[in-house]
Amino acid sequence: MSESEERYQRVLSQIRHAASIAGRPRESVNLLAVGKSKPSRDIANLYRLGQRHFGENYVQEALSKQERLGAFDITWHFIGPIQSNKTKPIAEHFTWVHSVDRFKIAERLSQQRPDFLPPLNICLQVNISGEDSKSGVELDELPELAAAVGQLPGLSLRGVMAVPAPEDNYHRQRQPYRRLREAVEQMHNIKLNTFSFGMSGDLKAAIMEGATWVRVGSALFGER
Ligand SMILES: *Cc1c(COP(=O)(O)O)cnc(C)c1O
């Protein structure tokens, strides 16, 4: 087995294991492979092993990989910070965006989504670790933002995304995800069923708290 295949199999088995402990079907947890700063050939390798969903953080880097990998049947997710002058290529070249945290960005993505494509799938990024430096809407402003974004015709609002402050302790890893999941479950006007929770270091905690996408970079591609 190649090194990349070993890493891939290890991540898949972690997901399987966590889903089974959580009493959830394996298929309810989707793997998003995060290729930021890794070359296109690493993505091609993982594709050949069966991976189809890939996430990118930087627009220029993503577009150049998409061009090189044009022959591959990849579903692309944008997961990085979004500047308003970069919304057009994101609206045109991705199927999912996990990192929308303000209405203005959502509105631009909706306007710029080409008519011939299905609505862009959106997760709202929520700031659940309370750090000033982190992007994301505050939890108490989430219902209002969700209601507004849910009205935009070019978008399909699916759920929430979170990147908590790094934490080694498993029980503490679960807390911010649990708070966010419970807040979403209490939103009555809008039903969201997508939870983009968890990275290489906290997969199990995220899956225990309902992750439907785990965004994994270093555990698949090696350290950056
Ligand atoms: C880089 C990144 C990931 C993947 O992180 P790893 O720790 O390498 O698995 C996931 N989500 C976001 C938003 C990222 O920027």
Side-chain angles (χ1 to χ4, degrees):
M1 232 195 270
S2 69
E3 199 180 332
S4 60
E5 184 164 11
E6 269 174 33
R7 288 203 201 97
Y8 189 45
Q9 293 306 334
R10 201 176 310 135
V11 168
L12 292 177
S13 98
Q14 281 175 351
I15 293 173
R16 224 171 10 248
H17 181 244
S20 109
I21 291 178
R24 302 178 48 197
R26 162 66 185 89
E27 319 77 67
S28 67
V29 186
N30 299 283
L31 174 60
L32 181 63
V34 176
K36 63 168 176 249
S37 85
K38 296 294 178 182
S40 306
R41 83 180 114 76
D42 289 8
I43 292 174
N45 276 339
L46 209 54
Y47 181 92
R48 291 191 192 95
L49 298 172
Q51 178 66 23
R52 290 293 177 271
H53 289 265
F54 289 87
E56 290 289 335
N57 290 63
Y58 307 105
V59 177
Q60 282 321 316
E61 181 184 340
L63 295 184
S64 93
K65 287 178 186 171
Q66 289 179 356
E67 204 169 294
R68 281 162 199 250
L69 298 165
F72 295 64
D73 178 26
I74 290 177
T75 301
W76 293 97
H77 298 234
F78 191 80
I79 64 170
I82 306 174
Q83 294 160 308
S84 51
N85 63 352
K86 295 283 174 57
T87 51
K88 191 159 188 282
I90 296 174
E92 291 174 347
H93 295 281
F94 289 83
T95 302
W96 282 80
V97 180
H98 293 229
S99 46
V100 171
D101 64 0
R102 51 199 199 278
F103 183 72
K104 182 182 160 201
I105 295 293
E107 194 176 33
R108 290 175 65 90
L109 289 171
S110 175
Q111 282 164 356
Q112 292 167 337
R113 181 67 169 172
D115 289 337
F116 60 86
L117 292 175
L120 186 56
N121 295 294
I122 299 292
C123 291
L124 299 175
Q125 184 172 353
V126 183
N127 179 2
I128 43 172
S129 49
E131 283 176 51
D132 300 342
S133 60
K134 283 274 157 74
S135 7
V137 63
E138 297 301 320
L139 193 50
D140 58 357
E141 292 163 11
L142 174 64
E144 195 184 336
L145 180 62
V149 172
Q151 301 295 316
L152 294 169
L155 309 183
S156 172
L157 178 59
R158 305 293 298 273
V160 291
M161 185 267 239
V163 187
E167 166 62 61
D168 288 331
N169 180 277
Y170 166 75
H171 298 283
R172 282 199 293 270
Q173 285 176 348
R174 288 181 60 166
Q175 288 165 7
Y177 294 131
R178 180 179 320 143
R179 264 200 303 140
L180 177 52
R181 175 175 52 78
E182 288 174 353
V184 167
E185 286 167 356
Q186 281 160 19
M187 288 169 40
H188 295 298
N189 302 342
I190 276 190
K191 286 288 158 234
L192 300 176
N193 57 18
T194 300
F195 297 92
S196 175
F197 285 177
M199 321 204 300
S200 298
D202 64 359
L203 279 189
K204 183 177 173 195
I207 291 169
M208 291 301 284
E209 295 300 341
T212 61
W213 284 103
V214 288
R215 308 177 312 273
V216 180
S218 49
L220 287 172
F221 294 111
E223 293 301 327
R224 287 179 294 275

